[in-house]
Amino acid sequence: MAPIDTRIFLTGATGYLGGSVLSRLIEHPTYEHTEIWVLIRPSKEGKIPAFRSLGVKTVLGTYDDLDLLEDQAAHADIVFACADADNLPGAQAILKGMRKKHERTGVQPLLIHTVSCVLIDDAKGLHSTDIIYDDMNPDQIHSLPPTQPHRNVDLAVLKADRDHDIKSYIILPSTVYSHAKTKLVALGVQNPRSIQIPMLIHAGLLKGQGGVVGKGENIWPNVHIDDVSDLFVVVYENALSGRAAHGREGFYFGENGEHKMYDVSKAIAQALYELGKGRSPEPEPFTQEDYEHFGRRNLEYLGTNSRCRGRRGRLLGWKPKYTTEDMFKGIKFEAEYVIQHEEA
């Protein structure tokens, strides 16, 4: 057995993104000399044998088990945080453990932290925005107010980097699409589905018609699950070699195009109509009744703007292959999948 040089602690291993990242780490040449520990919810204890079959070690717990998070982080050389980006106590526990690791070894552990988006506003689908965040412009990113979603966690991570306890790399994936096709999905332990587009499909099914938030004028970036998984690997490799920027300059946007939400709503309405689940191929605005039925917060989130350009990862060698056109091509399949599993 090869000697272990590196210990990784990863959260979100059964999730869409975390499971995809874990699969890439298992396939990576460094895995031979790496010990990977993942956090598994007690409700998913039955999935542990599948992880063990891949050589992955597990620990039962959640982001509420602060002592457990601290202990795991204190023994890790690298932490991949791929779950619960809004959980400040959980993030603080991980950072506390990583600080202990630094104090004990004199080496700064690496934190690769995941956040869903750079900026969302309150557009409610009524307008777009000309504000485009560039990950090569740290001054622009750090102008974001602390009230932005996830920002309190980001600020705690950045402070830990500034204090030299860790080196932090924050990856922001945007609208991730397509089904994950990994070893973990094949073993039945990973969620294969994304969130945003299936959420809009589900809202349309509840309405009985493909819907749109406001006028659908708001804009979001997008990235294929395979491409954003590649971005994690590129950042990981360059963090190990010391080439990747960290801390204040260590933001990496995952995007390879953008879309207007009306166009997504239109494609969903067309798919639901063709599948006999909608009255018209044209999207109809969600009503107040729809908001109450589906959840106001969820629908208003789908009406926000979030625009960015991911140049920093590309400078390190990230080469995304899939485009916005590929996202639209997959929407009918997404609708079929949601319908199939809701009727099951």
Side-chain angles (χ1 to χ4, degrees):
M1 182 176 178
I4 299 301
D5 298 329
T6 304
R7 176 164 168 164
I8 291 175
F9 175 50
L10 182 143
T11 66
T14 62
Y16 175 59
L17 184 58
S20 297
V21 172
L22 175 58
S23 293
R24 294 300 177 91
L25 293 175
I26 292 170
E27 296 165 355
H28 198 271
T30 57
Y31 186 48
E32 183 181 0
H33 303 282
T34 303
E35 182 177 84
I36 300 179
W37 287 75
V38 299
L39 182 71
I40 301 295
R41 291 179 179 275
S43 61
K44 298 182 178 180
E45 186 174 1
K47 300 180 184 293
I48 288 178
F51 285 103
R52 286 179 178 164
S53 73
L54 298 172
V56 176
K57 299 182 183 297
T58 59
V59 57
L60 284 177
T62 71
Y63 260 62
D64 294 325
D65 297 314
L66 303 184
D67 290 342
L68 176 65
L69 291 174
E70 181 183 333
D71 181 67
Q72 285 295 316
H75 290 90
D77 301 292
I78 306 169
V79 174
F80 282 82
C82 300
D84 215 348
D86 288 316
N87 193 316
L88 181 59
Q92 289 171 329
I94 288 172
L95 294 171
K96 185 177 180 181
M98 297 182 79
R99 182 172 65 248
K100 288 183 175 180
K101 171 78 171 182
H102 177 232
E103 291 171 347
R104 188 173 70 250
T105 66
V107 177
Q108 291 169 272
L110 311 180
L111 172 62
I112 299 178
H113 179 71
T114 314
V115 180
S116 63
C117 58
V118 60
L119 169 73
I120 60 173
D121 57 17
D122 192 30
K124 296 183 173 63
L126 299 178
H127 59 80
S128 62
T129 180
D130 293 329
I131 300 173
I132 302 176
Y133 283 82
D134 185 334
D135 59 11
M136 292 297 291
N137 187 346
D139 289 339
Q140 182 193 36
I141 295 170
H142 291 287
S143 70
L144 287 168
T147 53
Q148 274 291 307
H150 324 300
R151 187 62 177 158
N152 57 343
V153 175
D154 293 354
L155 292 173
V157 168
L158 293 171
K159 182 180 184 303
D161 185 285
R162 195 165 58 247
D163 291 344
H164 306 292
D165 292 333
I166 67 169
K167 291 182 180 179
S168 68
Y169 310 84
I170 298 179
I171 298 179
L172 302 96
S174 72
T175 298
V176 188
Y177 64 90
S178 191
H179 277 219
K181 299 178 179 68
T182 69
K183 289 181 179 179
L184 295 176
V185 171
L187 289 170
V189 298
Q190 178 193 346
N191 168 33
R193 295 175 57 209
S194 62
I195 296 174
Q196 201 177 70
I197 291 175
M199 186 189 298
L200 196 52
I201 293 169
H202 181 58
L205 288 171
L206 288 177
K207 182 180 178 65
Q209 166 62 36
V212 60
V213 177
K215 298 178 180 179
E217 291 294 319
N218 55 305
I219 297 173
W220 267 73
N222 56 70
V223 66
H224 191 281
I225 183 61
D226 290 347
D227 284 337
V228 76
S229 299
D230 287 343
L231 178 59
F232 274 84
V233 171
V234 167
V235 172
Y236 167 63
E237 291 174 341
N238 284 275
L240 289 176
S241 69
R243 291 187 62 238
H246 61 91
R248 190 175 188 275
E249 296 183 346
F251 281 76
Y252 300 84
F253 297 160
E255 60 77 26
N256 197 36
E258 59 182 16
H259 55 273
K260 185 178 288 188
M261 285 304 294
Y262 177 85
D263 296 329
V264 174
S265 295
K266 164 72 173 172
I268 290 172
Q270 180 72 42
L272 294 182
Y273 178 74
E274 292 175 1
L275 294 168
K277 298 294 183 179
R279 298 181 295 273
S280 166
E282 298 296 326
E284 297 178 4
F286 288 110
T287 64
Q288 288 303 313
E289 183 179 354
D290 295 326
Y291 277 94
E292 298 304 321
H293 192 192
F294 188 69
R296 178 170 298 276
R297 182 178 178 183
N298 289 334
L299 285 180
E300 289 184 349
Y301 173 76
L302 294 172
T304 60
N305 285 290
S306 180
R307 303 187 70 185
C308 65
R309 296 290 182 267
R311 294 196 292 148
R312 195 175 291 277
R314 287 174 169 86
L315 290 175
L316 293 176
W318 181 49
K319 297 177 180 178
K321 298 177 294 185
Y322 297 93
T323 66
T324 302
E325 182 180 355
D326 294 304
M327 182 189 75
F328 282 109
K329 287 179 180 177
I331 285 178
K332 187 172 183 179
F333 171 79
E334 289 281 5
E336 291 171 337
Y337 186 91
V338 172
I339 292 168
Q340 176 186 347
H341 285 76
E342 287 198 352
E343 292 178 346

